Amino acid sequence: AGDGDCGHTHARAAQAIREWMRSRPPPAAPAPLLSALADVLLEQMGGSSGVLYGLFLTAAARSLRGRSDSPAWADAMDAGIEAMQRYGGAAPGDRTMLDSLFAAAQALHSLRSPGADPLQALAAAVQSAEAAAEATRQMEAGAGRASYIRSSRLEQPDPGAVAVAAVLGAVLEGLRD
């Protein structure tokens, strides 16, 4: 779908994050960590994905300032999605990375319940993101680069949606370790 650069763009982002983490200890507090990641992605990732992730992380970081409780993470996810929608112009159902992010956010809303287990909520969010990514296979592209291609030629799930699910899965794996 699109011009086929999604994998390369995400690989470049992963390498940039790895190099950044080797060069200095990442901030321990959530808001500065997400802000720093946004800067790395905006500078190094490239493409529209880099800009969108940067917008997402910047808005999420703003939402987390002074907070780190479980509900704050659900709020941060919503803030990031809102920023992506406002500046990117896509919405859930448009066959983009927002489909996975929105599904994950819905699962993370369970963090607003007292006693919610953050790892269980994130595991549910990963499963929801993966299912949403797979569901993009059957969607008409309403935004993003895939919207330039005839629907009959779009046989794979949206790569951005698949990438979001993979990123969330990696976060879960890292937290479990």
Side-chain angles (χ1 to χ4, degrees):
D3 59 8
D5 73 343
C6 188
H8 295 291
T9 302
H10 282 80
R12 190 169 43 251
Q15 183 62 35
I17 291 169
R18 184 179 304 133
E19 290 172 12
W20 171 70
M21 290 178 66
R22 286 182 185 151
S23 70
R24 69 186 71 79
L33 174 63
L34 295 185
S35 287
L37 283 171
D39 291 343
V40 170
L41 295 181
L42 285 166
E43 292 171 15
Q44 303 292 322
M45 186 174 191
S48 57
S49 293
V51 172
L52 291 170
Y53 279 117
L55 288 167
F56 176 88
L57 290 169
T58 299
R62 255 188 247 118
S63 178
L64 283 171
R65 281 193 190 129
R67 299 176 62 200
S68 62
D69 59 330
S70 292
W73 287 97
D75 295 344
M77 187 76 152
D78 288 346
I81 289 170
E82 182 182 316
M84 286 178 82
Q85 286 182 283
R86 183 174 46 244
Y87 296 108
D94 280 344
R95 196 181 200 277
T96 69
M97 66 171 61
L98 272 172
D99 293 299
S100 290
L101 281 170
F102 187 77
Q106 297 307 300
L108 288 179
H109 287 172
S110 69
L111 291 172
R112 294 180 176 133
S113 299
D117 180 321
L119 285 180
Q120 284 181 345
L122 184 54
V126 170
Q127 288 180 333
S128 294
E130 290 170 346
E134 180 57 34
T136 63
R137 182 187 303 267
Q138 306 303 321
M139 290 180 182
E140 183 84 23
R145 292 188 179 151
S147 66
Y148 307 145
I149 300 171
R150 285 188 311 229
S151 295
S152 62
R153 301 203 58 211
L154 296 172
E155 299 172 353
Q156 300 298 319
D158 179 74
V162 171
V164 163
V167 167
L168 291 172
V171 169
L172 176 62
E173 185 179 317
L175 290 172
R176 283 182 172 160
D177 287 347

